[in-house]
Amino acid sequence: MQELGNLETSRLVDLLAQHTADYTKMMSEGTTEEEYAKCKLIIKALQAEIESRKTNTTGSETNITPLPDFS
């Protein structure tokens, strides 16, 4: 799976919106604990990467957050 640090910020925001919508749907319609946990981990990873870019003023790309491995 692609590392979050290699994606543009706009793509990260799009993914966050998509996974948040999925999470909301899961909460209203129900899902397995595993799927719920995966979605929650992805949302947290996306949020962390977006936040790190907001606070990282050096422009360094060395702090790359990988997506959780679900294989």
Side-chain angles (χ1 to χ4, degrees):
M1 197 170 263
Q2 190 175 32
E3 290 183 346
L4 297 179
N6 295 332
L7 299 175
E8 292 184 18
T9 303
S10 60
R11 180 68 179 134
L12 291 173
V13 173
D14 289 344
L15 286 170
L16 180 59
Q18 176 187 345
H19 286 285
T20 301
D22 292 345
Y23 180 84
T24 303
K25 186 176 179 180
M26 287 178 196
M27 296 225 11
S28 64
E29 296 179 3
T31 189
T32 65
E33 280 292 320
E34 183 180 353
E35 289 299 313
Y36 174 80
K38 284 180 187 179
C39 189
K40 192 172 180 179
L41 279 172
I42 291 171
I43 288 171
K44 287 183 182 229
L46 289 165
Q47 289 173 327
E49 180 63 25
I50 292 167
E51 187 62 30
S52 75
R53 290 181 186 198
K54 285 180 11 182
T55 58
N56 184 5
T57 58
T58 64
S60 173
E61 294 295 328
T62 58
N63 188 12
I64 298 175
T65 306
L67 282 172
D69 183 14
F70 300 116
S71 52

